[in-house]
Amino acid sequence: MKAKPVVPREQASRDVDEAIAHDLQERSVQVVPGFIDALETAYAHVGCHPATGSPRYAHELNLAGLRSRPLTRHPHLLFYVERPDHVDVWRVLQGQRDLPAWMQEPDLT
């Protein structure tokens, strides 16, 4: 199977920038490369196997097709929808947030 391109939305890119800024300010500069590696690994995985993500939040939020995948060794979840020609990444959120509230932002539908 050929991998689909993974295309982050503008909000997902902002989420990543905010997570990196938070790690730099609150944690350590050494954490950032691991976060980026985990994100790239998650992107590669969902590009090859988009149906393996959890549909849990699709049911909670009534957003058909929404899937999530945790980032390895990081408290973040990658939220995406498989499209016919790509994987549409909606958000990259820290799992301890009120995820249903964060996913209800207007640019997600």
Side-chain angles (χ1 to χ4, degrees):
M1 175 197 288
K2 183 179 175 187
K4 291 184 176 185
V6 176
V7 182
R9 290 185 177 199
E10 185 177 323
Q11 182 59 55
S13 295
R14 282 194 301 265
D15 292 340
V16 170
D17 291 344
E18 288 172 10
I20 290 170
H22 178 267
D23 284 348
L24 289 172
Q25 183 177 20
E26 301 293 327
R27 295 176 74 192
S28 165
V29 70
Q30 288 84 8
V31 174
V32 174
F35 173 78
I36 293 169
D37 288 346
L39 183 64
E40 289 175 352
T41 298
Y43 280 0
H45 183 86
V46 300
C48 292
H49 310 285
T52 60
S54 171
R56 172 186 171 192
Y57 292 101
H59 301 298
E60 286 185 26
L61 300 169
N62 196 28
L63 293 170
L66 181 69
R67 294 194 175 268
S68 64
R69 177 168 179 81
L71 271 60
T72 304
R73 295 185 303 278
H74 293 272
H76 292 79
L77 294 170
L78 174 71
F79 291 92
Y80 65 93
V81 174
E82 181 180 9
R83 303 291 185 199
D85 60 342
H86 71 285
V87 175
D88 184 10
V89 176
W90 287 16
R91 300 295 303 258
V92 180
L93 295 174
Q94 211 240 17
Q96 296 170 342
R97 291 184 173 177
D98 178 4
L99 295 174
W102 281 83
M103 291 299 294
Q104 293 295 341
E105 293 188 9
D107 67 338
L108 293 180
T109 55

